[in-house]
Amino acid sequence: MSDNIAGGGLLLQTPGAFYITDLSGNMMATPGTYMLNPDDGSVTQLPGMLWFMNEAGGLLFASDQSRSNALCRVDTGSLELKVLLDEPCREVRLSGGRLYYIHEGDGKLYRCLPDGRKPERLTDHPVLCYTQLGETLYYATAQGIYSCPPDGEREQLLAEGEAAYLQSCGQRLLYADKAAGYALTLLHPETGHKEVYEELIPLGMNSDGPYVYCCNARNEGSIYRLDLQYGGSLRIYGERADRLQIGDGELFFTHHGEWYTMPLSGGQAVRVNFG
């Protein structure tokens, strides 16, 4: 299952639309977040510069860079934006009727109701990144990777050392392990067993389950695909790429500030058409 949030959450696919954030203004007249209707090809600019986008019931939840990364909600029908929490937030995830986020002020993991009420702190230490697998939270600190129930109690150390790009991959955790020179690493939470792929140093990554897609620092940020069944990796895009996202069975990424898409199996990259 893909985790676009780990890559910035700049692309979101829903049954009726694509939401995509143009950071540079190279794609449209002005930088911002746009709603693309695949049925009629129409393009609508949304308020804000949205990161870490989540959607439920016609409401878009995100961190708005144009409002100092405040936690916001956008009604995708009326295009009305409401600030839910006027504090800087990143890695926003909507799960189990709660919004989880890292507070950029103290670096700790929090959650609140979808209307921004009842924020509660879940960790005592600053969190580098986090993810969820089932109902369990997994988060990385400077001391290591921990697991805990959704209420934040009874944390358990799974692995020592710092991690980046932490996300779930099937029943395993996927991350870049600082102790291994930031090599791409898979961790089995139940057994503690690690699989380290030293030839891949992620500048960003994502997974669709059988494969991991990685902007590989060992080869100037070009995209590699790792086969988790057989363990082999293959370069599928030869230029530097950033912000790997997955949507509609395609791989999306930025190159020189513009969005491109290509099949997950590799092939010709095509510039995203904003209409």
Side-chain angles (χ1 to χ4, degrees):
M1 181 179 180
S2 65
D3 186 356
N4 288 337
I5 299 300
L10 298 168
L11 180 141
L12 177 68
Q13 179 188 7
T14 67
F18 266 90
Y19 301 91
I20 191 166
T21 297
D22 176 18
L23 295 172
S24 63
N26 289 343
M27 308 294 293
M28 296 293 286
T30 60
T33 300
Y34 293 85
M35 178 171 59
L36 285 65
N37 187 321
D39 294 329
D40 60 16
S42 62
V43 180
T44 304
Q45 184 171 7
L46 275 62
M49 175 75 75
L50 304 182
W51 290 67
F52 310 112
M53 291 187 287
N54 300 255
E55 189 272 344
L59 298 174
L60 207 61
F61 300 90
S63 171
D64 184 4
Q65 192 176 73
S66 69
R67 291 173 173 79
S68 301
N69 297 333
L71 183 61
C72 296
R73 181 183 72 200
V74 177
D75 186 311
T76 60
S78 67
L79 302 185
E80 178 185 2
L81 183 145
K82 180 179 180 180
V83 175
L84 302 177
L85 195 63
D86 196 11
E87 299 179 22
C89 304
R90 62 181 174 88
E91 296 201 35
V92 178
R93 286 182 171 89
L94 178 63
S95 176
R98 300 288 186 95
L99 288 168
Y100 292 79
Y101 59 92
I102 297 175
H103 193 292
E104 292 188 336
D106 62 19
K108 297 175 183 178
L109 181 62
Y110 288 76
R111 70 177 179 182
C112 66
L113 294 175
D115 59 6
R117 292 185 301 114
K118 298 184 178 180
E120 55 180 319
R121 179 169 52 82
L122 299 176
T123 63
D124 294 326
H125 303 288
V127 170
L128 303 172
C129 47
Y130 77 100
T131 190
Q132 290 179 284
L133 184 54
E135 295 186 353
T136 303
L137 282 167
Y138 296 91
Y139 54 85
T141 72
Q143 291 72 40
I145 299 175
Y146 291 84
S147 69
C148 70
D151 59 10
E153 299 291 336
R154 303 183 303 281
E155 68 180 15
Q156 178 182 354
L157 178 65
L158 299 180
E160 295 183 347
E162 294 185 18
Y165 309 116
L166 181 66
Q167 54 197 276
S168 61
C169 181
Q171 295 303 308
R172 295 173 287 184
L173 298 177
L174 174 68
Y175 61 99
D177 187 353
K178 182 179 179 180
Y182 287 107
L184 188 153
T185 301
L186 282 166
L187 171 67
H188 297 254
E190 299 299 325
T191 65
H193 175 69
K194 285 185 180 181
E195 301 168 37
V196 180
Y197 297 88
E198 295 180 352
E199 74 277 14
L200 300 173
I201 307 295
L203 297 170
M205 60 182 170
N206 209 327
S207 172
D208 64 349
Y211 299 97
V212 175
Y213 304 87
C214 165
C215 299
N216 188 11
R218 288 205 184 281
N219 206 315
E220 300 181 342
S222 55
I223 302 176
Y224 279 66
R225 186 184 68 208
L226 170 65
D227 187 321
L228 293 178
Q229 181 177 359
Y230 298 105
S233 61
L234 175 70
R235 187 168 67 167
I236 61 172
Y237 181 73
E239 303 293 331
R240 181 185 174 91
D242 300 285
R243 308 291 180 193
L244 289 182
Q245 313 273 281
I246 293 176
D248 198 27
E250 296 274 313
L251 186 66
F252 290 77
F253 57 91
T254 58
H255 172 64
H256 294 319
E258 298 184 336
W259 281 103
Y260 286 78
T261 184
M262 65 186 298
L264 291 173
S265 59
Q268 183 67 37
V270 178
R271 186 177 181 271
V272 174
N273 182 11
F274 275 57

Short mmCIF file of all heavy atoms in Angstrom, two decimals, residues 3-14 18-22 32-35 46-56 59-64 71-72 74 76 90-94 99 245 259:
data_model
loop_
_atom_site.label_atom_id
_atom_site.label_comp_id
_atom_site.label_asym_id
_atom_site.label_seq_id
_atom_site.Cartn_x
_atom_site.Cartn_y
_atom_site.Cartn_z
N ASP A 3 2.21 5.07 0.51
CA ASP A 3 2.12 6.06 1.58
C ASP A 3 2.65 7.38 1.04
O ASP A 3 3.81 7.72 1.20
CB ASP A 3 2.93 5.61 2.80
CG ASP A 3 2.75 6.54 3.99
OD1 ASP A 3 2.07 7.57 3.84
OD2 ASP A 3 3.31 6.26 5.06
N ASN A 4 1.76 8.13 0.37
CA ASN A 4 2.18 9.40 -0.20
C ASN A 4 2.52 10.42 0.89
O ASN A 4 3.27 11.37 0.63
CB ASN A 4 1.09 9.96 -1.11
CG ASN A 4 0.98 9.19 -2.42
OD1 ASN A 4 1.93 8.54 -2.85
ND2 ASN A 4 -0.17 9.25 -3.05
N ILE A 5 1.97 10.23 2.09
CA ILE A 5 2.26 11.17 3.17
C ILE A 5 3.75 11.20 3.48
O ILE A 5 4.33 12.26 3.75
CB ILE A 5 1.45 10.82 4.43
CG1 ILE A 5 -0.05 10.87 4.14
CG2 ILE A 5 1.80 11.74 5.59
CD1 ILE A 5 -0.57 12.21 3.69
N ALA A 6 4.41 10.04 3.45
CA ALA A 6 5.85 9.98 3.73
C ALA A 6 6.66 10.78 2.72
O ALA A 6 7.78 11.21 3.02
CB ALA A 6 6.32 8.53 3.75
N GLY A 7 6.11 11.00 1.54
CA GLY A 7 6.79 11.78 0.50
C GLY A 7 6.28 13.21 0.39
O GLY A 7 6.55 13.89 -0.59
N GLY A 8 5.51 13.65 1.38
CA GLY A 8 5.02 15.02 1.37
C GLY A 8 3.52 15.14 1.16
O GLY A 8 2.95 16.21 1.39
N GLY A 9 2.87 14.05 0.71
CA GLY A 9 1.42 14.10 0.52
C GLY A 9 0.98 15.18 -0.44
O GLY A 9 -0.01 15.87 -0.23
N LEU A 10 1.69 15.32 -1.56
CA LEU A 10 1.41 16.37 -2.54
C LEU A 10 0.46 15.90 -3.63
O LEU A 10 0.05 16.70 -4.48
CB LEU A 10 2.71 16.86 -3.17
CG LEU A 10 3.70 17.49 -2.20
CD1 LEU A 10 5.06 17.69 -2.86
CD2 LEU A 10 3.18 18.81 -1.67
N LEU A 11 0.12 14.63 -3.62
CA LEU A 11 -0.82 14.09 -4.60
C LEU A 11 -1.81 13.21 -3.86
O LEU A 11 -1.44 12.42 -3.00
CB LEU A 11 -0.09 13.29 -5.67
CG LEU A 11 -0.98 12.66 -6.75
CD1 LEU A 11 -0.31 12.76 -8.12
CD2 LEU A 11 -1.27 11.19 -6.45
N LEU A 12 -3.08 13.37 -4.21
CA LEU A 12 -4.14 12.56 -3.59
C LEU A 12 -5.14 12.18 -4.66
O LEU A 12 -5.63 13.05 -5.40
CB LEU A 12 -4.82 13.34 -2.47
CG LEU A 12 -5.99 12.64 -1.78
CD1 LEU A 12 -5.51 11.44 -0.97
CD2 LEU A 12 -6.73 13.61 -0.87
N GLN A 13 -5.46 10.91 -4.74
CA GLN A 13 -6.45 10.43 -5.68
C GLN A 13 -7.72 10.03 -4.92
O GLN A 13 -7.66 9.32 -3.93
CB GLN A 13 -5.93 9.21 -6.44
CG GLN A 13 -6.92 8.62 -7.43
CD GLN A 13 -6.43 7.32 -8.03
OE1 GLN A 13 -5.40 6.79 -7.61
NE2 GLN A 13 -7.16 6.78 -8.99
N THR A 14 -8.86 10.54 -5.38
CA THR A 14 -10.16 10.14 -4.84
C THR A 14 -10.99 9.60 -6.00
O THR A 14 -10.59 9.73 -7.17
CB THR A 14 -10.87 11.33 -4.18
OG1 THR A 14 -11.23 12.29 -5.19
CG2 THR A 14 -9.97 12.00 -3.14
N PHE A 18 -8.31 14.11 -8.93
CA PHE A 18 -6.91 14.12 -8.49
C PHE A 18 -6.65 15.49 -7.85
O PHE A 18 -7.07 16.51 -8.39
CB PHE A 18 -5.97 13.96 -9.69
CG PHE A 18 -5.53 12.55 -9.95
CD1 PHE A 18 -6.26 11.73 -10.79
CD2 PHE A 18 -4.39 12.05 -9.36
CE1 PHE A 18 -5.87 10.43 -11.04
CE2 PHE A 18 -3.99 10.76 -9.61
CZ PHE A 18 -4.73 9.95 -10.45
N TYR A 19 -5.95 15.48 -6.74
CA TYR A 19 -5.48 16.72 -6.14
C TYR A 19 -3.96 16.69 -6.18
O TYR A 19 -3.33 15.70 -5.78
CB TYR A 19 -5.96 16.83 -4.69
CG TYR A 19 -7.46 16.80 -4.57
CD1 TYR A 19 -8.14 15.59 -4.38
CD2 TYR A 19 -8.22 17.96 -4.67
CE1 TYR A 19 -9.52 15.55 -4.28
CE2 TYR A 19 -9.60 17.93 -4.58
CZ TYR A 19 -10.24 16.71 -4.38
OH TYR A 19 -11.61 16.68 -4.30
N ILE A 20 -3.38 17.76 -6.68
CA ILE A 20 -1.93 17.78 -6.85
C ILE A 20 -1.42 19.19 -6.57
O ILE A 20 -2.05 20.18 -6.96
CB ILE A 20 -1.54 17.29 -8.27
CG1 ILE A 20 -0.04 17.05 -8.38
CG2 ILE A 20 -2.04 18.25 -9.33
CD1 ILE A 20 0.35 16.25 -9.64
N THR A 21 -0.30 19.29 -5.87
CA THR A 21 0.26 20.59 -5.50
C THR A 21 1.45 20.91 -6.39
O THR A 21 2.41 20.14 -6.47
CB THR A 21 0.67 20.60 -4.02
OG1 THR A 21 -0.50 20.42 -3.22
CG2 THR A 21 1.33 21.92 -3.65
N ASP A 22 1.37 22.04 -7.05
CA ASP A 22 2.45 22.56 -7.89
C ASP A 22 3.26 23.52 -7.03
O ASP A 22 2.84 24.64 -6.75
CB ASP A 22 1.85 23.27 -9.10
CG ASP A 22 2.90 23.93 -9.98
OD1 ASP A 22 4.10 23.57 -9.86
OD2 ASP A 22 2.53 24.80 -10.79
N GLY A 32 0.45 26.38 -6.23
CA GLY A 32 -0.75 26.11 -5.43
C GLY A 32 -1.20 24.68 -5.60
O GLY A 32 -0.52 23.86 -6.21
N THR A 33 -2.37 24.40 -5.04
CA THR A 33 -2.95 23.06 -5.11
C THR A 33 -4.13 23.08 -6.08
O THR A 33 -4.98 23.97 -6.02
CB THR A 33 -3.41 22.61 -3.72
OG1 THR A 33 -2.28 22.58 -2.85
CG2 THR A 33 -4.03 21.21 -3.78
N TYR A 34 -4.18 22.07 -6.96
CA TYR A 34 -5.17 22.03 -8.02
C TYR A 34 -5.96 20.73 -7.98
O TYR A 34 -5.42 19.67 -7.65
CB TYR A 34 -4.50 22.20 -9.38
CG TYR A 34 -3.90 23.57 -9.58
CD1 TYR A 34 -2.63 23.87 -9.12
CD2 TYR A 34 -4.64 24.57 -10.21
CE1 TYR A 34 -2.09 25.14 -9.28
CE2 TYR A 34 -4.10 25.84 -10.38
CZ TYR A 34 -2.83 26.12 -9.91
OH TYR A 34 -2.30 27.37 -10.05
N MET A 35 -7.23 20.84 -8.32
CA MET A 35 -8.12 19.68 -8.44
C MET A 35 -8.32 19.39 -9.91
O MET A 35 -8.80 20.25 -10.66
CB MET A 35 -9.45 19.96 -7.73
CG MET A 35 -10.47 18.84 -7.84
SD MET A 35 -11.94 19.13 -6.77
CE MET A 35 -12.54 20.71 -7.41
N LEU A 46 -7.45 25.23 -5.69
CA LEU A 46 -7.96 25.26 -4.34
C LEU A 46 -7.25 26.34 -3.54
O LEU A 46 -6.14 26.74 -3.89
CB LEU A 46 -7.73 23.90 -3.65
CG LEU A 46 -8.78 22.80 -3.88
CD1 LEU A 46 -8.88 22.42 -5.34
CD2 LEU A 46 -8.46 21.57 -3.03
N PRO A 47 -7.84 26.81 -2.45
CA PRO A 47 -7.12 27.75 -1.59
C PRO A 47 -5.97 27.05 -0.88
O PRO A 47 -6.07 25.88 -0.52
CB PRO A 47 -8.19 28.21 -0.59
CG PRO A 47 -9.20 27.12 -0.58
CD PRO A 47 -9.20 26.54 -1.96
N GLY A 48 -4.87 27.75 -0.72
CA GLY A 48 -3.75 27.21 0.05
C GLY A 48 -2.71 26.50 -0.79
O GLY A 48 -2.89 26.22 -1.97
N MET A 49 -1.59 26.22 -0.14
CA MET A 49 -0.50 25.41 -0.69
C MET A 49 -0.44 24.16 0.19
O MET A 49 0.19 24.16 1.24
CB MET A 49 0.81 26.18 -0.65
CG MET A 49 2.04 25.39 -1.09
SD MET A 49 2.16 25.14 -2.86
CE MET A 49 2.69 26.78 -3.37
N LEU A 50 -1.13 23.11 -0.25
CA LEU A 50 -1.44 21.99 0.63
C LEU A 50 -0.40 20.86 0.56
O LEU A 50 -0.02 20.42 -0.53
CB LEU A 50 -2.82 21.44 0.30
CG LEU A 50 -3.97 22.46 0.35
CD1 LEU A 50 -5.30 21.78 0.05
CD2 LEU A 50 -4.03 23.19 1.68
N TRP A 51 0.04 20.43 1.74
CA TRP A 51 0.91 19.27 1.91
C TRP A 51 0.17 18.23 2.75
O TRP A 51 -0.75 18.55 3.50
CB TRP A 51 2.18 19.66 2.65
CG TRP A 51 3.14 20.53 1.90
CD1 TRP A 51 2.95 21.82 1.50
CD2 TRP A 51 4.46 20.17 1.48
NE1 TRP A 51 4.07 22.29 0.85
CE2 TRP A 51 5.02 21.29 0.83
CE3 TRP A 51 5.23 19.02 1.60
CZ2 TRP A 51 6.31 21.30 0.30
CZ3 TRP A 51 6.51 19.01 1.07
CH2 TRP A 51 7.04 20.13 0.42
N PHE A 52 0.59 16.98 2.64
CA PHE A 52 0.07 15.90 3.49
C PHE A 52 -1.45 15.81 3.40
O PHE A 52 -2.17 15.80 4.39
CB PHE A 52 0.52 16.10 4.95
CG PHE A 52 2.00 16.36 5.08
CD1 PHE A 52 2.48 17.59 5.50
CD2 PHE A 52 2.91 15.36 4.78
CE1 PHE A 52 3.84 17.84 5.61
CE2 PHE A 52 4.28 15.59 4.88
CZ PHE A 52 4.74 16.83 5.30
N MET A 53 -1.95 15.71 2.16
CA MET A 53 -3.39 15.74 1.92
C MET A 53 -4.07 14.41 2.25
O MET A 53 -3.60 13.34 1.89
CB MET A 53 -3.66 16.11 0.46
CG MET A 53 -3.32 17.55 0.11
SD MET A 53 -3.82 18.01 -1.57
CE MET A 53 -2.59 17.12 -2.55
N ASN A 54 -5.21 14.52 2.96
CA ASN A 54 -6.11 13.40 3.26
C ASN A 54 -7.52 13.85 2.89
O ASN A 54 -7.84 15.04 2.98
CB ASN A 54 -6.10 13.06 4.75
CG ASN A 54 -4.73 12.67 5.27
OD1 ASN A 54 -4.45 11.51 5.52
ND2 ASN A 54 -3.84 13.65 5.46
N GLU A 55 -8.40 12.89 2.52
CA GLU A 55 -9.76 13.28 2.14
C GLU A 55 -10.77 12.35 2.80
O GLU A 55 -10.53 11.14 2.95
CB GLU A 55 -9.91 13.21 0.62
CG GLU A 55 -11.21 13.80 0.09
CD GLU A 55 -12.36 12.81 0.03
OE1 GLU A 55 -12.11 11.58 0.11
OE2 GLU A 55 -13.52 13.26 -0.09
N ALA A 56 -11.90 12.92 3.22
CA ALA A 56 -13.01 12.13 3.73
C ALA A 56 -14.28 12.94 3.58
O ALA A 56 -14.35 14.10 4.01
CB ALA A 56 -12.79 11.77 5.21
N LEU A 59 -14.18 16.46 2.19
CA LEU A 59 -13.34 17.40 2.93
C LEU A 59 -11.88 16.99 2.79
O LEU A 59 -11.54 15.80 2.91
CB LEU A 59 -13.73 17.43 4.41
CG LEU A 59 -15.15 17.89 4.73
CD1 LEU A 59 -15.43 17.73 6.21
CD2 LEU A 59 -15.38 19.34 4.29
N LEU A 60 -11.04 17.96 2.52
CA LEU A 60 -9.61 17.75 2.35
C LEU A 60 -8.90 18.27 3.60
O LEU A 60 -9.08 19.43 3.99
CB LEU A 60 -9.13 18.50 1.11
CG LEU A 60 -7.92 17.99 0.35
CD1 LEU A 60 -8.17 16.59 -0.19
CD2 LEU A 60 -7.59 18.93 -0.80
N PHE A 61 -8.12 17.42 4.25
CA PHE A 61 -7.36 17.80 5.44
C PHE A 61 -5.88 17.85 5.07
O PHE A 61 -5.37 16.93 4.43
CB PHE A 61 -7.58 16.79 6.56
CG PHE A 61 -9.01 16.65 6.99
CD1 PHE A 61 -9.84 15.72 6.38
CD2 PHE A 61 -9.54 17.46 7.98
CE1 PHE A 61 -11.17 15.59 6.76
CE2 PHE A 61 -10.86 17.34 8.37
CZ PHE A 61 -11.68 16.40 7.76
N ALA A 62 -5.21 18.92 5.47
CA ALA A 62 -3.82 19.09 5.04
C ALA A 62 -3.12 20.14 5.90
O ALA A 62 -3.74 20.86 6.69
CB ALA A 62 -3.79 19.54 3.57
N SER A 63 -1.81 20.22 5.70
CA SER A 63 -0.99 21.29 6.26
C SER A 63 -0.80 22.33 5.16
O SER A 63 -0.42 21.99 4.04
CB SER A 63 0.36 20.72 6.70
OG SER A 63 1.26 21.73 7.06
N ASP A 64 -1.10 23.59 5.48
CA ASP A 64 -1.08 24.65 4.47
C ASP A 64 0.20 25.47 4.59
O ASP A 64 0.37 26.25 5.53
CB ASP A 64 -2.31 25.54 4.62
CG ASP A 64 -2.39 26.60 3.53
OD1 ASP A 64 -1.55 26.59 2.61
OD2 ASP A 64 -3.31 27.44 3.61
N LEU A 71 -2.81 23.49 10.34
CA LEU A 71 -3.67 22.37 10.00
C LEU A 71 -5.00 22.93 9.50
O LEU A 71 -5.69 23.67 10.21
CB LEU A 71 -3.89 21.49 11.23
CG LEU A 71 -4.73 20.23 11.05
CD1 LEU A 71 -4.09 19.29 10.05
CD2 LEU A 71 -4.93 19.53 12.39
N CYS A 72 -5.36 22.58 8.26
CA CYS A 72 -6.53 23.18 7.60
C CYS A 72 -7.45 22.12 7.02
O CYS A 72 -7.08 20.96 6.84
CB CYS A 72 -6.08 24.12 6.47
SG CYS A 72 -5.13 25.54 7.04
N VAL A 74 -10.35 21.88 3.73
CA VAL A 74 -10.93 22.52 2.54
C VAL A 74 -12.15 21.72 2.11
O VAL A 74 -12.08 20.50 1.93
CB VAL A 74 -9.91 22.59 1.39
CG1 VAL A 74 -10.56 23.20 0.15
CG2 VAL A 74 -8.69 23.40 1.78
N THR A 76 -14.22 20.55 -0.70
CA THR A 76 -13.91 20.43 -2.13
C THR A 76 -15.08 20.85 -3.02
O THR A 76 -14.92 20.99 -4.23
CB THR A 76 -13.48 19.00 -2.48
OG1 THR A 76 -14.55 18.09 -2.15
CG2 THR A 76 -12.24 18.60 -1.69
N ARG A 90 3.07 18.84 10.42
CA ARG A 90 3.52 18.09 9.25
C ARG A 90 3.14 16.62 9.41
O ARG A 90 2.74 16.18 10.48
CB ARG A 90 5.03 18.23 9.03
CG ARG A 90 5.90 17.69 10.16
CD ARG A 90 7.38 17.90 9.85
NE ARG A 90 8.24 17.53 10.96
CZ ARG A 90 8.73 16.31 11.15
NH1 ARG A 90 8.43 15.33 10.30
NH2 ARG A 90 9.53 16.05 12.17
N GLU A 91 3.26 15.87 8.32
CA GLU A 91 2.90 14.46 8.28
C GLU A 91 1.50 14.22 8.87
O GLU A 91 1.30 13.44 9.79
CB GLU A 91 3.95 13.60 8.98
CG GLU A 91 5.29 13.64 8.28
CD GLU A 91 6.20 12.46 8.60
OE1 GLU A 91 5.70 11.35 8.79
OE2 GLU A 91 7.42 12.68 8.66
N VAL A 92 0.54 14.92 8.30
CA VAL A 92 -0.86 14.78 8.73
C VAL A 92 -1.43 13.48 8.17
O VAL A 92 -1.33 13.22 6.97
CB VAL A 92 -1.69 15.98 8.24
CG1 VAL A 92 -3.14 15.83 8.66
CG2 VAL A 92 -1.10 17.29 8.77
N ARG A 93 -2.03 12.67 9.05
CA ARG A 93 -2.68 11.44 8.62
C ARG A 93 -4.04 11.34 9.29
O ARG A 93 -4.16 11.46 10.51
CB ARG A 93 -1.84 10.21 8.98
CG ARG A 93 -0.61 9.99 8.11
CD ARG A 93 0.12 8.71 8.52
NE ARG A 93 1.17 8.35 7.60
CZ ARG A 93 2.43 8.77 7.69
NH1 ARG A 93 2.78 9.59 8.66
NH2 ARG A 93 3.33 8.38 6.81
N LEU A 94 -5.08 11.09 8.49
CA LEU A 94 -6.42 10.88 9.00
C LEU A 94 -6.63 9.38 9.18
O LEU A 94 -6.55 8.61 8.22
CB LEU A 94 -7.45 11.45 8.03
CG LEU A 94 -8.93 11.28 8.39
CD1 LEU A 94 -9.26 12.01 9.69
CD2 LEU A 94 -9.81 11.77 7.26
N LEU A 99 -7.10 13.01 13.44
CA LEU A 99 -5.99 13.55 12.66
C LEU A 99 -4.72 13.43 13.48
O LEU A 99 -4.63 13.96 14.59
CB LEU A 99 -6.24 15.01 12.30
CG LEU A 99 -7.31 15.29 11.25
CD1 LEU A 99 -7.66 16.77 11.22
CD2 LEU A 99 -6.86 14.83 9.87
N GLN A 245 5.30 9.79 -5.50
CA GLN A 245 3.92 9.58 -5.10
C GLN A 245 3.33 8.49 -6.01
O GLN A 245 3.79 8.31 -7.14
CB GLN A 245 3.10 10.86 -5.24
CG GLN A 245 3.75 12.11 -4.65
CD GLN A 245 3.48 12.31 -3.18
OE1 GLN A 245 2.44 12.78 -2.77
NE2 GLN A 245 4.46 11.96 -2.36
N TRP A 259 5.84 18.09 -12.51
CA TRP A 259 5.34 16.75 -12.23
C TRP A 259 5.37 15.88 -13.49
O TRP A 259 4.99 16.33 -14.57
CB TRP A 259 3.91 16.82 -11.71
CG TRP A 259 3.80 17.18 -10.27
CD1 TRP A 259 3.45 18.40 -9.75
CD2 TRP A 259 4.03 16.32 -9.14
NE1 TRP A 259 3.46 18.36 -8.38
CE2 TRP A 259 3.81 17.09 -7.98
CE3 TRP A 259 4.40 14.98 -9.00
CZ2 TRP A 259 3.94 16.57 -6.69
CZ3 TRP A 259 4.54 14.46 -7.72
CH2 TRP A 259 4.31 15.24 -6.58
#
